[in-house]
Amino acid sequence: MTTNMIELSSVSRWYGNVVAVNDVTLTIGPGVTGLLGPNGAGKTTVLHMMAGFLAPSQGSVLVNGTPSWRNPEVYRSLGLVTERESVPGYLTAWEFVHASAVLHKLPDAEAAARRAIDLVEMGEAMDRRIGTYSKGMRQRTRVAAALVHDPSVLLLDEPFNGMDPRQRMHMMDLLHRMAGEGRTILFSSHILEEVEQLSGTVQVIVSGRLAASGDYRHIRRLMTNRPHEFVISSSDDRRLAAALMCLPSVSGVELGTAGLQVRASDFGGFTRELAKVARAQGIRLSQLLPSDESLERVFSYLVAS
Amino acid sequence: MNLMIIRITLRALLGRRRALLLLPIPVLLIGLTGFATTTGVAVERWAPILLNGMGLGVLLPLTALIVGSSVLGLEIEDGTITHILTKPLPRRDIIVSKLLVAWLVTTVAAGVPLGVAGAIADGATMGTALFVGAAVGALAYSALFLALSVVTRRPVIIGMSYILIWENLLGTYVDGTKVLSVRQFSSTITDTIAGNPLLQSTLSVTTAAVMAGVFVLLGTVSATHRLRSFSLAGDTN
């Protein structure tokens, strides 16, 4: 059996004439993976199909080797936190999480509920009605309910919505720890800094298609049609600029106060040749920073292309 | 059947202000019946209007509609249904649990007052007959309205149309529609047990019992089937 894996193969989903998800094939394994995309790109549709709440019009969606659609058994190892903030406000957090544990038919529902509530640091407020909670507390309660059965695969749709910075840090730490234990965690977010902090691995959906998949730094290096930008500081920036312009891998150099801004059309060629050129010119390099390898840049390139 | 779902559903149902809607008609029915007995008018003159018209024709279906469309419909509406659906539970268990709650609450909120009103009007036999007839009707109505709440986004409008147009309008003028009228099942069973002329029914008791069973079965099966394919809207539709 394929454990801790989400597999989509040639998955499409359409509503009448509108294609929401178009021929997506991807595999997500243990670790934290970010699901990125502009609004309306199809992220939630993909998540809902993975969670068994939407049938693929075409293709197959497997979680831990079994189809998620019309298969309640999949929830033994799958946890879901939906984007819609829906929690029964008349229950306390304890009642809500404990009910989840009982519905999962866990052998020791009380212990499981207490562990899940402690994980999200809701112990002190757990006897208050959920209706009296802040948005962040409600979100943490939902996460506790999704974690109560210790799932090996966890799907979270915009999990940081409404959380304050401290709660966000705590949640990120929790997801990191869970990923470190070998779980598969997929979360969607429209806040790129969150994704950057939490995960290097991303699945980027643009207009219903999988635009890129993998480590975003690696994705950036594969974008050969866009020059890579570097900031370089050296013992003699002006002379280095002249030398670099002679390299075929360099398409532009700008001399600024912060150092040299270099645009390289061939990432591999440039990084190999830079040291040789500097050594030949007797120039000491003190700093070499890729300036467009941030997730934000990668994302903007993918969306624009 | 699942006890935790039953408990949560009962709390959700009875903890909302909507539950207060269940109070006025039973109180009015019992009050009017009590008042009618003091007027000295023959019971045959007012009992059919109060017990059949107001009780089985209004109180029972309206209560069943409010309760039956709420037990699952409200969770679908506010999205909390995902908490139950993300559990490894057979969907049939969820539907049967919801149906049981809807039936019990409708029977208590409509069947008991009807039984009390019947007993005040014409003694214990009439009271028992009305309670049993209402309980059977409550089960059939609950299955119908529960199924509507899963199958359609407008369960209350469709349910009201069924009560007003099918049962009360067509049921009065077109005899053939009675075989698909839950109200007729209730009044037939009540009439059979009571054995008095206060409620006149045209269906046979076998037809009423079998058709009530068909409503329960079809309602449960279609609601279960639909819940198995329950979909959440994506961000692009």
Side-chain angles (χ1 to χ4, degrees):
Chain A
M1 184 175 137
T2 324
T3 52
N4 301 8
M5 296 288 269
I6 305 169
E7 294 162 287
L8 270 67
S9 123
S10 305
V11 169
S12 297
R13 169 75 207 193
W14 50 79
Y15 301 94
N17 291 331
V18 179
V19 180
V21 174
N22 192 352
D23 198 25
V24 169
T25 296
L26 57 83
T27 302
I28 299 168
V32 184
T33 302
L35 185 63
L36 277 177
N39 282 339
K43 301 187 297 289
T44 300
T45 305
V46 168
L47 268 173
H48 285 171
M49 285 194 283
M50 290 172 175
F53 279 108
L54 205 54
S57 305
Q58 192 174 282
S60 72
V61 179
L62 304 178
V63 174
N64 290 337
T66 57
S68 54
W69 176 244
R70 288 175 69 104
N71 178 20
E73 285 301 306
V74 81
Y75 300 114
R76 290 195 189 283
S77 57
L78 174 69
L80 171 71
V81 180
T82 57
E83 184 183 12
R84 192 169 170 190
E85 197 195 307
S86 48
V87 225
Y90 51 88
L91 297 178
T92 65
W94 169 255
E95 289 169 333
F96 180 56
V97 179
H98 181 250
S100 292
V102 172
L103 291 173
H104 271 292
K105 297 179 179 158
L106 301 179
D108 189 348
E110 291 218 356
R114 189 161 294 280
R115 182 188 56 80
I117 281 181
D118 287 344
L119 268 178
V120 298
E121 293 183 349
M122 282 294 293
E124 279 182 23
M126 69 179 191
D127 293 322
R128 265 170 51 201
R129 282 177 56 238
I130 296 172
T132 65
Y133 287 172
S134 69
K135 204 171 175 186
M137 290 167 85
R138 284 200 293 272
Q139 184 75 324
R140 282 189 286 155
T141 306
R142 295 170 66 216
V143 172
L147 292 178
V148 76
H149 59 302
D150 207 12
S152 62
V153 175
L154 183 62
L155 306 175
L156 306 104
D157 200 358
E158 302 280 356
F160 304 106
N161 272 356
M163 288 190 180
D164 64 35
R166 197 189 68 83
Q167 293 165 348
R168 197 170 292 189
M169 292 285 286
H170 177 258
M171 181 61 68
M172 284 185 181
D173 182 49
L174 173 64
L175 296 180
H176 268 305
R177 270 188 285 135
M178 292 181 65
E181 291 165 5
R183 291 181 176 80
T184 298
I185 295 166
L186 177 71
F187 74 101
S188 74
S189 175
H190 62 280
I191 300 172
L192 296 175
E193 289 82 3
E194 283 175 1
V195 183
E196 204 164 16
Q197 282 176 45
L198 194 52
S199 163
T201 311
V202 292
Q203 305 285 343
V204 185
I205 308 271
V206 179
S207 302
R209 283 184 175 275
L210 186 65
S213 178
D215 185 292
Y216 66 86
R217 288 165 287 257
H218 182 63
I219 294 169
R220 173 66 190 95
R221 277 162 213 168
L222 294 175
M223 292 177 180
T224 51
N225 58 334
R226 287 187 183 270
H228 293 261
E229 292 176 12
F230 297 90
V231 173
I232 301 173
S233 297
S234 70
S235 55
D236 190 341
D237 287 349
R238 189 170 291 274
R239 207 149 53 81
L240 182 62
L244 289 178
M245 276 310 291
C246 298
L247 296 177
S249 59
V250 172
S251 57
V253 178
E254 198 176 306
L255 196 58
T257 49
L260 283 179
Q261 285 197 324
V262 179
R263 285 186 299 281
S265 51
D266 173 3
F267 180 88
F270 171 72
T271 49
R272 278 193 301 275
E273 288 162 350
L274 173 64
K276 289 180 195 166
V277 168
R279 176 186 274 259
Q281 298 287 328
I283 298 169
R284 191 166 48 81
L285 296 174
S286 53
Q287 188 188 51
L288 170 65
L289 284 176
S291 61
D292 69 341
E293 265 196 4
S294 69
L295 180 58
E296 190 178 345
R297 278 294 189 89
V298 174
F299 183 68
S300 65
Y301 290 158
L302 287 169
V303 172
S305 61
Chain B
M1 201 165 61
N2 186 295
L3 280 178
M4 181 53 85
I5 293 180
I6 291 172
R7 275 175 53 192
I8 293 176
T9 308
L10 273 171
R11 280 192 63 179
L13 196 63
L14 303 176
R16 296 183 198 231
R17 282 187 188 163
R18 202 169 167 165
L20 296 174
L21 290 173
L22 303 177
L23 282 176
I25 307 179
V27 171
L28 190 66
L29 177 71
I30 293 172
L32 284 175
T33 308
F35 174 73
T37 54
T38 63
T39 58
V41 179
V43 69
E44 292 79 11
R45 299 270 309 272
W46 54 263
I49 300 166
L50 279 182
L51 302 180
N52 195 7
M54 186 178 173
L56 294 178
V58 178
L59 169 63
L60 179 63
L62 277 189
T63 306
L65 179 61
I66 292 168
V67 176
S69 63
S70 299
V71 283
L72 193 56
L74 291 181
E75 287 177 44
I76 292 173
E77 206 173 289
D78 67 17
T80 50
I81 185 67
T82 52
H83 296 300
I84 290 179
L85 292 182
T86 50
K87 307 295 180 288
L89 300 170
R91 282 16 186 170
R92 186 192 59 243
D93 287 7
I94 298 173
I95 292 296
V96 170
S97 306
K98 298 283 184 184
L99 176 61
L100 187 70
V101 171
W103 180 41
L104 286 176
V105 173
T106 305
T107 302
V108 169
V112 170
L114 261 163
V116 171
I120 293 170
D122 199 40
T125 308
M126 188 62 194
T128 308
L130 268 168
F131 176 77
V132 174
V136 171
L139 185 58
Y141 275 130
S142 297
L144 173 67
F145 297 138
L146 174 64
L148 282 180
S149 73
V150 190
V151 171
T152 165
R153 291 184 178 201
R154 301 272 178 273
V156 176
I157 293 173
I158 297 173
M160 281 298 280
S161 306
Y162 171 76
I163 296 166
L164 295 175
I165 299 172
W166 187 269
E167 294 204 311
N168 287 322
L169 189 68
L170 293 177
T172 311
Y173 301 108
V174 186
D175 242 21
T177 59
K178 289 179 178 170
V179 78
L180 291 176
S181 165
V182 177
R183 179 182 172 179
Q184 296 300 325
F185 310 156
S186 294
S187 61
T188 300
I189 288 164
T190 304
D191 186 23
T192 306
I193 297 172
N196 63 27
L198 292 181
L199 268 77
Q200 300 286 333
S201 59
T202 51
L203 292 178
S204 74
V205 70
T206 312
T207 306
V210 168
M211 286 310 294
V214 168
F215 266 64
V216 174
L217 192 68
L218 280 182
T220 309
V221 169
S222 59
T224 304
H225 177 74
R226 186 60 184 224
L227 200 62
R228 278 197 191 115
S229 308
F230 182 82
S231 295
L232 283 174
D235 54 0
T236 46
N237 63 329

